[in-house]
Amino acid sequence: MPIDPAVAIGADLGATEFTWNSTDVLLYHLALGAGARSTDPRELRYVLEDRLHVLPTFGVVAPGFRTFEPPAVRFPGIDIDLSKVLHGTQSITVSGPIPASGAAVARSRIADVWDKEKAAVIVQETTVSDPTGAPLWTSSSSIFARGEGNFGGHRGPSTAVTLPDREPDRVVEVPTLPQQALLYRLCGDRNPLHADPEFAARAGFERPILHGLCTYGMVCKSVVDTVLDGEAGRVASFAAKFAGVVFPGETLRVRIWTTDEGYLVTTTAADRDDAPVLADTLLTVA
């Protein structure tokens, strides 16, 4: 079905009630590689429930954490083959530290649809509040659907973050595990692109790729650990653009600049001559 922007833009995707507990948070953190330094007190704050600090990126996955089926890209005015879809951008803004357990309601809508000619970009916004209506966090994401452009929509904005004209203040190398995607899929994203070699080949990849949101969470953690001394509750927002894929087992090279706006970040695949992975990345603190 071709994309119908008149139907899609502004479409209400409804409300999702969900709960989470410390076990969900612990699994999420472990799926990001937390606990590799198993006696480091800062690492133990991610993997022991009696001192748990929750990374803000958990809020992105929390509403769908107990999803066990591959995602379907079917919304009002939109029906796209999953093999054509890649994550485009992701951001989250939190009202305060995310608690280790809780209940909430997520309300989502299609904020916009952009026609990039060779592809379509679908922008989704989600607001999350507790059962009393108090805001917890908001998130925005876009997906890039290859071959789904030329439907007569507008191109959307073309913006990029300008990096400082100097060397980064910090450079961190973050290893990924060969089985990282198989572990991360337990956090709710069962897209076979990240596990099934045959599906990945049909999508045009030599082998399964790491979930974009896994990379997103790993980079957020590396910045929190490097410049905030592991104090995840200090983060106000974290936003990134997905600029390339990661194959499980590769090492991420994270470059960090301290600015008045916050911490600007780029991420590359160190094993592939610094091929871009995340761009336009900004972490702000409360």
Side-chain angles (χ1 to χ4, degrees), residues 159-165 257 259 261 264-266 279-282:
T159 58
V161 173
T162 301
L163 294 172
D165 186 19
W257 288 263
T259 72
E261 189 178 4
L264 294 176
V265 183
T266 63
D280 297 352
T281 306
L282 174 66

Side-chain angles (χ1 to χ4, degrees), residues 11-32:
D12 186 348
L13 303 183
T16 301
E17 296 183 3
F18 65 98
T19 62
W20 71 96
N21 57 39
S22 62
T23 298
D24 301 322
V25 178
L26 295 174
L27 175 57
Y28 174 72
H29 287 167
L30 288 168
L32 298 182

Side-chain angles (χ1 to χ4, degrees), residues 174-253:
V174 182
T176 68
L177 299 171
Q179 70 271 34
Q180 195 98 46
L182 301 178
L183 184 58
Y184 186 83
R185 69 193 298 267
L186 301 180
C187 298
D189 187 344
R190 301 294 177 93
N191 187 339
L193 176 63
H194 309 296
D196 184 342
E198 293 182 1
F199 187 96
R202 291 199 303 272
F205 297 101
E206 62 185 65
R207 55 192 172 99
I209 62 175
L210 189 61
H211 303 71
L213 285 182
C214 184
T215 304
Y216 176 77
M218 293 181 76
V219 172
C220 181
K221 178 181 181 299
S222 72
V223 178
V224 169
D225 291 344
T226 302
V227 300
L228 300 182
D229 196 30
E231 294 290 343
R234 293 179 57 193
V235 178
S237 67
F238 184 63
K241 176 182 178 180
F242 299 96
V245 301
V246 175
F247 295 101
E250 293 184 327
T251 295
L252 305 176
R253 182 169 290 138

Side-chain angles (χ1 to χ4, degrees), residues 60-165:
V60 173
V61 304
F65 202 86
R66 294 186 177 90
T67 300
F68 304 114
E69 297 296 327
V73 191
R74 297 187 183 94
F75 308 115
I78 299 170
D79 191 350
I80 297 171
D81 183 344
L82 183 61
S83 67
K84 297 182 178 181
V85 171
L86 291 172
H87 213 133
T89 62
Q90 183 66 59
S91 68
I92 187 166
T93 301
V94 295
S95 300
I98 295 178
S101 62
V105 179
R107 294 176 173 84
S108 300
R109 71 183 188 100
I110 300 297
D112 212 344
V113 181
W114 304 332
D115 188 342
K116 301 294 188 181
E117 297 183 357
K118 294 183 178 180
V121 176
I122 300 154
V123 183
Q124 182 174 324
E125 293 180 349
T126 300
T127 60
V128 177
S129 57
D130 71 15
T132 71
L136 293 173
W137 63 83
T138 61
S139 65
S140 176
S141 64
S142 69
I143 57 174
F144 187 85
R146 296 169 293 174
E148 296 293 337
N150 283 318
F151 55 83
H154 65 104
R155 280 193 60 84
S158 297
T159 58
V161 173
T162 301
L163 294 172
D165 186 19

